[in-house]
Amino acid sequence: MKQALAATLAPLALLLLPGCQPDAAAGPAPTPPAATPEVIDALPLDFGYYVRTDEPCDDATSAGVHLVNRAGMRWVTSFCLYERIERTGANRYRVHQRCGDHGGTGLEVADYEIPDRTSFSFRSDSGWEHAARLCPQREMPEPWRSEDISDQVR
């Protein structure tokens, strides 16, 4: 019995010696994989006309106005369609979006920050930075003020 007990305890005693712990030479334990981001159906934004933050709503230009809806964003001559939206933080999202204009389309990934339902900013992997806020349609200049967008903002 004493021999069996000694045979069982002897290897355990080695663990008390410096440098004899399992994997001591292997370095620190590997970090667990990052949590998989939650995939969501839509960005938490109210739909409607958004204007670049450096333009006033009542004096917005074609270059600064875009329509945001569930599918993406549309400017006068270009667009971005959301293909995959991942929540990466409390108010942060990674969006895989297909953007294009008359010259074609391309897939890009953009990191969005959305502090509230009426404003956002993003930076894409191509370096494009954009910030905008929702403008009430009644405050927009023509032609946006009178355009019927009800079917596009449901």
Side-chain angles (χ1 to χ4, degrees):
M1 175 84 164
K2 284 184 179 181
Q3 278 185 326
L5 186 57
T8 302
L9 292 177
L12 295 175
L14 289 175
L15 293 176
L16 299 174
L17 297 174
C20 289
Q21 290 81 23
D23 299 325
T31 56
T36 303
E38 175 189 5
V39 176
I40 59 173
D41 293 332
L43 290 172
L45 290 169
D46 292 341
F47 302 146
Y49 285 122
Y50 281 70
V51 176
R52 286 190 331 217
T53 55
D54 62 346
E55 291 186 15
C57 293
D58 63 355
D59 196 30
T61 66
S62 295
V65 175
H66 55 290
L67 182 67
V68 173
N69 62 21
R70 183 177 200 78
M73 297 180 276
R74 180 177 52 90
W75 288 264
V76 172
T77 61
S78 60
F79 65 90
C80 286
L81 298 175
Y82 310 137
E83 293 196 353
R84 179 182 170 94
I85 303 169
E86 303 168 347
R87 184 189 321 265
T88 59
N91 62 348
R92 296 188 178 277
Y93 303 84
R94 180 172 300 114
V95 179
H96 301 250
Q97 55 191 22
R98 184 161 303 281
C99 298
D101 58 19
H102 55 69
T105 65
L107 185 63
E108 66 180 36
V109 178
D111 290 315
Y112 280 68
E113 182 172 353
I114 302 177
D116 56 56
R117 295 196 58 83
T118 61
S119 62
F120 70 91
S121 62
F122 73 76
R123 179 180 172 91
S124 73
D125 57 359
S126 66
W128 179 26
E129 294 184 42
H130 182 65
R133 86 282 188 200
L134 181 67
C135 287
Q137 191 171 0
R138 67 184 175 281
E139 294 177 17
M140 300 286 294
E142 290 298 338
W144 302 287
R145 181 183 315 132
S146 58
E147 186 176 3
D148 181 10
I149 58 171
S150 59
D151 63 330
Q152 299 177 53
V153 294
R154 287 186 201 142

